[in-house]
Amino acid sequence: MAEKRTVRYTINGRSHEAYIEPNRTLLEVLRDELRLTGAKEGCGTGDCGACSVIVNGKVVTSCLMLAPQADGAELITIEGLAHGGELHPLQQTFIEKGAVQCGFCIPGMILAGKALLDSNPKPNEHEIRQAIAGNLCRCTGYTKIVEAIAAATGGVA
Amino acid sequence: MHRFEYFAPESLDEAITLLKEHGDGVKLLAGGTDLLVQMKEAGLHPAAVVSLHALTELRGLEFDEADGLHVGAATDMATIEAFAVVRERFAALADGAGVLGSVQTRNMATLGGNIANAAPSADTAPPLVVLDAIAEIAGPDGSRRLPVGEIFAGPGTSTLAPDEILVGFHLPTPPARTGSVYQRHTPRKIMDIAVVGVAVQLTLATDADTIREARICLGAVAPTVIRAREAEEALTDHEASDELFAQAAEMAQAAASPISDVRGSAEFRRYLAGVMTKRCLGIALERAKGA
């Protein structure tokens, strides 16, 4: 059973499959097999959140999920947020607020923000900070990221 | 990660058979937030991994006034924290499930995994102990029930046999005028491991602030989570007051036998156990009055 098997995902509304050994993480399959390189590997142990993706509606660290565990799941990755050349509101406000510096954490940060807004469309600053507590940024100091998420709700943090 | 055989059984019997067949080299996978870290960083190389994710009967919560609360062992922390009855009637569990890790961790980590790993700092262990939770455990010879406190044998070791699986937890409905709380101290606000964790449940008399029953459980100050029984007895049948809580906190502090490590010295942990017990007694009292 260590042999390769086929895993199937619906990613950003499209069907994908990969033929993999079971010791691969979801992150590795997304990046190395499916060439969706928006999710990043920072720590590899679930602490930094750079690998965050949304699996069946919940934001998870894909570095701590075995690829076969997510077999059959619906995924949203950063590649699925813009539609027809139009940016997602969070992508737009991250640009407008200057919330991006080196950018490595930003795909995970935006997906954590999206998971928050999907369940709580009008979060306060405390709720925003809690929602991105699992996403490390070493550049910005978080202030502008928090402002960007708040701006995407139409509110002010 | 090293290579391993991977199984995703579709029944509990099949899962137990796999555990039995593969003996010592097999690991159960639930949320993965501890297991995968150990496999990547701590030199754990299981020959086989048995994933519980296809066993939907291990997930979910049910509450019935007469029967109490049932939580499936593979229920994730976010689902537990969001369950209205848990927040209202089993607040210590909502506190523990809500403070563990990050949003991402809580979407993956399971209650059964947090208990089976038997870390003395596990954020849901003191809550389950003060809430009088009984674990349901399935094995090759059928199932057995065990108070959660008896699962822990030492840091990272449990009394579960290698071919047993935690199936769920049963929590009795708390009596009227009962309040519970879990708090922990961590140097960072989030994404940290408890230096000290304290859970308290108080039940008050119907018409006065006399304590009818008190339960105190301390985490991260001994090889397993521990009850502060002397403190519980000192509180029982006495009227709640600051002086009484200070006495009980001193007794809880005396019950702690912590180690020194990178997160804090033994002396600091013992002191914190007292401070936090007193603080938690105050919160549990307020919650009991409101219940």
Side-chain angles (χ1 to χ4, degrees):
Chain A
M1 294 289 277
E3 68 266 26
K4 288 190 165 188
R5 80 253 342 265
T6 301
V7 289
R8 293 180 178 83
Y9 311 120
T10 304
I11 306 175
N12 306 323
R14 282 187 52 203
S15 298
H16 291 263
E17 60 177 60
Y19 186 60
I20 50 124
E21 284 193 59
N23 63 346
R24 307 288 296 282
T25 64
L26 177 60
L27 177 65
E28 288 167 345
V29 170
L30 287 174
R31 289 182 57 85
D32 302 339
E33 305 296 326
L34 305 176
R35 303 288 167 192
L36 292 164
T37 55
K40 304 288 189 274
E41 178 160 48
C43 65
T45 52
D47 293 303
C48 78
C51 66
S52 296
V53 298
I54 295 176
V55 177
N56 293 330
K58 291 184 164 192
V59 63
V60 302
T61 43
S62 60
C63 74
L64 290 187
M65 185 171 276
L66 291 180
Q69 275 183 287
D71 193 11
E74 293 212 13
L75 276 65
I76 298 172
T77 68
I78 193 68
E79 289 87 352
L81 260 59
H83 284 293
E86 189 168 330
L87 294 178
H88 184 277
L90 278 165
Q91 293 172 312
Q92 194 61 46
T93 56
F94 268 65
I95 294 169
E96 286 166 7
K97 294 288 176 183
V100 181
Q101 290 187 33
C102 89
F104 193 85
C105 73
I106 298 300
M109 202 63 89
I110 287 181
L111 288 169
K114 176 177 160 51
L116 170 68
L117 299 186
D118 286 349
S119 64
N120 179 3
K122 287 278 178 194
N124 59 32
E125 182 183 343
H126 175 74
E127 290 166 334
I128 293 172
R129 288 187 179 271
Q130 288 289 323
I132 59 168
N135 295 78
L136 295 183
C137 173
R138 302 288 79 163
C139 303
T140 65
Y142 302 102
T143 301
K144 289 175 186 301
I145 290 174
V146 172
E147 287 175 6
I149 295 173
T153 72
V156 181
Chain B
M1 268 179 292
H2 286 232
R3 298 176 73 182
F4 50 79
E5 286 193 278
Y6 176 84
F7 303 94
E10 290 179 3
S11 76
L12 198 55
D13 285 348
E14 196 188 333
I16 291 165
T17 304
L18 283 164
L19 292 182
K20 220 175 158 57
E21 282 172 7
H22 289 267
D24 284 347
V26 65
K27 275 288 175 186
L28 268 182
L29 170 64
T33 53
D34 280 317
L35 182 65
L36 262 71
V37 175
Q38 290 177 36
M39 288 167 63
K40 286 177 166 198
E41 300 251 307
L44 180 72
H45 304 307
V49 169
V50 175
S51 170
L52 298 175
H53 80 269
L55 301 180
T56 49
E57 70 264 36
L58 298 189
R59 289 201 293 270
L61 301 101
E62 274 175 53
F63 176 73
D64 179 283
E65 195 69 44
D67 296 338
L69 177 72
H70 176 84
V71 188
T75 311
D76 65 78
M77 297 295 175
T79 301
I80 292 168
E81 186 205 359
F83 198 71
V85 175
V86 174
R87 300 173 84 100
E88 289 157 17
R89 311 280 292 273
F90 303 88
L93 179 58
D95 291 342
V99 79
L100 179 153
S102 63
V103 173
Q104 289 90 332
T105 322
R106 294 193 290 275
N107 281 338
M108 303 167 82
T110 67
L111 189 60
N114 198 225
I115 296 306
N117 281 325
S121 57
D123 286 316
T124 59
L128 286 181
V129 170
V130 299
L131 295 169
D132 220 4
I134 304 289
E136 190 188 333
I137 300 158
D141 306 319
S143 75
R144 64 184 177 115
R145 294 177 146 235
L146 190 67
V148 165
E150 294 176 27
I151 290 176
F152 309 114
T157 58
S158 78
T159 59
L160 299 173
D163 54 5
E164 286 186 318
I165 297 176
L166 266 175
V167 174
F169 300 91
H170 176 76
L171 286 66
T173 304
R177 307 244 307 151
T178 297
S180 69
V181 62
Y182 170 75
Q183 288 209 338
R184 66 177 195 182
H185 174 79
T186 51
R188 287 186 293 182
K189 283 186 189 161
I190 29 212
M191 281 305 274
D192 210 340
I193 295 170
V195 176
V196 174
V198 177
V200 168
Q201 176 163 275
L202 292 179
T203 300
L204 302 177
T206 45
D207 53 356
D209 287 350
T210 306
I211 295 165
R212 284 284 168 247
E213 197 181 0
R215 289 171 161 269
I216 302 171
C217 184
L218 310 177
V221 295
T224 66
V225 297
I226 51 165
R227 290 273 293 276
R229 291 186 189 272
E230 204 190 334
E232 293 175 358
E233 280 163 26
L235 291 163
T236 307
D237 293 328
H238 286 81
E239 192 168 339
S241 70
D242 274 357
E243 296 74 42
L244 181 67
F245 285 180
Q247 278 174 23
E250 247 175 66
M251 291 173 180
Q253 189 168 328
S257 56
I259 55 163
S260 293
D261 68 9
V262 65
R263 293 193 180 80
S265 66
E267 190 187 4
F268 177 54
R269 283 194 152 106
R270 205 175 290 118
Y271 178 75
L272 265 184
V275 171
M276 293 178 59
T277 299
K278 185 159 189 291
R279 190 179 298 159
C280 285
L281 284 167
I283 297 168
L285 176 66
E286 289 311 309
R287 288 181 175 177
K289 285 178 180 174

